[in-house]
Amino acid sequence: MTAISSLAPLLQGFFTQRLMQQRQVSPHTITSYRDTFRQFLKFTQQRLRKPPSALSFEEIDAPLVVRFLDHLEKHQGLSVRSRNLRLTAIHSFFRYAAFELPTCSAQIQRVLAIPSKRFTRKLVRFLTRQEVDALLAAPDRRTWFGRRDHAFMLMAVQTGLRLSEITWAKREDVVLATGAHVRIIGKGRKERCTPLAKPTVAVLSAWLREAKKDDGRVLFPNAKGERLSVHGVQYMLNKHSTSAARVCPLLKGKRVTVHLLRHTMAMELLQAGVDRAVIALWLGHESVETTQIYLEATLAMKEQALARTSPPHGTPGRYRPGDQLLSFLNNL
């Protein structure tokens, strides 16, 4: 008779031993995986009528995982991309379980065989210089929050940092002397330096002279002196983009995110003639191929390429069928 394996210690070991100790993944990855399993355990509790602590590993089979993913997409409005990220977290857990529970290998392989869902890859969205200027002018810089928001958005659009990179930045990570730059630990725990332009240096210099909150280490803190949350940053951007849209109607209907500002920086570098390899290094991309998406994003660059080509010379004319029956069909 096969022994029943409790899910709780296995899941705990996955986070503490596999992710934190062995792989030493970033706090952002821990948070993402944690949120995935919180959603999954709540869904499982409703379906199986059992508290998460009483679940056995054998009850977490492939059909249950597929129903969970479908539920996220159909009833919670998650995009296909977000659905695939949830599946990535579950696959990672089951690969860990394969070493801990070899007796459940058949069940594990069926879950690992669940494929990611394909989706239409849309063109990269980005802001124009007019839209960026309107967004940066929106905060009321007579207030502490306005000065913080202005410095945050200016640094985001000029450096192209990811959301996690800019919210985790410390005051000591910013160097404003000769060769001004910000030093961050990016995706894959890779350290990189991103140069700062003179206008950004001026704004950050004034911001760093502001009164510190609590320990004063966080570069862009919230009202309590703590790191800004994802929802806090999005609330800030939504507020200022709504205000900026009154001045720049082009912003109406556009959802401004830190990732959109990152794309905007990449497009400005590309349109300025910067090599793709340099852009990849700037953004912290794993491969130069990732930067390929920006080449497809702007119609202006495609029109410039078309202008440099020699169009074929053709004689305009109209098709004339040589048969009465074809002529009849053509005129229907």
Side-chain angles (χ1 to χ4, degrees):
M1 183 176 179
T2 304
I4 301 298
S5 305
S6 176
L7 176 66
L10 194 65
L11 190 58
Q12 184 177 353
F14 169 67
F15 276 95
T16 58
Q17 296 174 21
R18 182 61 171 266
L19 297 182
M20 296 180 181
Q21 295 179 16
Q22 297 174 6
R23 296 187 58 193
Q24 295 185 341
V25 301
S26 68
H28 181 69
T29 301
I30 294 292
T31 301
S32 176
Y33 281 26
R34 178 204 65 193
D35 292 344
T36 294
F37 281 98
R38 268 201 313 208
Q39 289 178 307
F40 181 58
L41 291 176
K42 288 179 181 178
F43 173 82
T44 304
Q45 183 176 16
Q46 294 173 352
R47 288 303 178 99
L48 301 183
R49 308 294 182 185
K50 293 178 67 174
S53 57
L55 288 171
S56 66
F57 179 78
E58 287 78 4
E59 292 175 289
I60 312 301
D61 55 12
L64 180 64
V65 172
V66 171
R67 286 198 297 271
F68 165 66
L69 297 173
D70 289 342
H71 172 77
L72 291 178
E73 188 178 355
K74 296 176 182 177
H75 301 287
Q76 294 195 10
L78 245 65
S79 65
V80 176
R81 189 187 296 271
S82 296
R83 169 196 167 113
N84 290 342
L85 287 175
R86 301 293 185 270
L87 179 59
T88 298
I90 294 172
H91 276 173
S92 181
F93 170 63
F94 271 78
R95 280 192 291 270
Y96 167 76
F99 292 97
E100 301 294 323
L101 297 175
T103 55
C104 298
S105 59
Q107 172 193 350
I108 292 170
Q109 289 304 313
R110 283 192 288 270
V111 172
L112 292 178
I114 300 173
S116 295
K117 197 169 185 179
R118 301 189 66 177
F119 58 93
T120 302
R121 295 185 180 274
K122 297 182 179 179
L123 290 176
V124 173
R125 307 294 183 216
F126 59 96
L127 299 181
T128 63
R129 175 45 55 184
Q130 180 184 358
E131 292 168 332
V132 170
D133 290 342
L135 184 66
L136 293 176
D140 182 1
R141 278 175 272 177
R142 295 172 296 179
T143 67
W144 182 88
F145 286 107
R147 292 190 294 273
R148 180 204 63 183
D149 296 355
H150 174 74
F152 181 99
M153 293 190 296
L154 177 62
M155 182 169 168
V157 77
Q158 191 260 287
T159 61
L161 295 180
R162 297 181 178 92
L163 174 59
S164 58
E165 294 169 347
I166 196 169
T167 54
W168 280 93
K170 305 290 192 300
R171 295 171 73 96
E172 58 264 29
D173 295 333
V174 178
V175 177
L176 299 177
T178 303
H181 64 273
V182 58
R183 185 183 300 272
I184 53 94
I185 303 296
K187 194 173 182 180
R189 304 188 69 83
K190 291 186 294 185
E191 186 180 33
R192 76 178 191 276
C193 295
T194 303
L196 298 172
K198 288 182 179 180
T200 309
V201 170
V203 170
L204 288 178
S205 296
W207 171 246
L208 291 175
R209 289 194 295 268
E210 292 271 353
K212 299 178 181 179
K213 288 183 175 289
D214 292 348
D215 64 359
R217 295 192 63 203
V218 180
L219 181 58
F220 298 112
N222 59 18
K224 298 180 180 178
E226 300 169 349
R227 184 174 65 90
L228 280 168
S229 67
V230 174
H231 298 295
V233 171
Q234 195 55 55
Y235 171 80
M236 173 213 306
L237 295 175
N238 290 343
K239 179 177 69 173
H240 295 310
S241 62
T242 301
S243 177
R246 301 189 189 104
V247 179
C248 180
L250 293 173
L251 279 168
K252 288 183 179 179
K254 288 189 177 181
R255 184 171 183 268
V256 177
T257 64
V258 171
H259 212 65
L260 181 67
L261 300 180
R262 176 175 166 85
H263 289 327
T264 300
M265 179 57 188
M267 290 305 304
E268 288 194 354
L269 290 173
L270 188 64
Q271 291 172 338
V274 178
D275 186 80
R276 280 197 304 149
V278 177
I279 298 176
L281 289 172
W282 186 296
L283 298 178
H285 284 164
E286 187 70 25
S287 168
V288 178
E289 296 304 317
T290 309
T291 317
Q292 182 70 25
I293 60 172
Y294 299 112
L295 289 174
E296 304 169 356
T298 170
L299 181 62
M301 293 185 69
K302 295 174 184 175
E303 290 173 340
Q304 291 172 9
L306 179 63
R308 288 195 289 265
T309 64
S310 299
H313 298 286
T315 302
R318 185 173 183 274
Y319 170 68
R320 302 286 183 180
D323 185 270
Q324 292 183 348
L325 181 58
L326 290 177
S327 179
F328 164 75
L329 294 173
N330 188 53
N331 290 323
L332 288 177

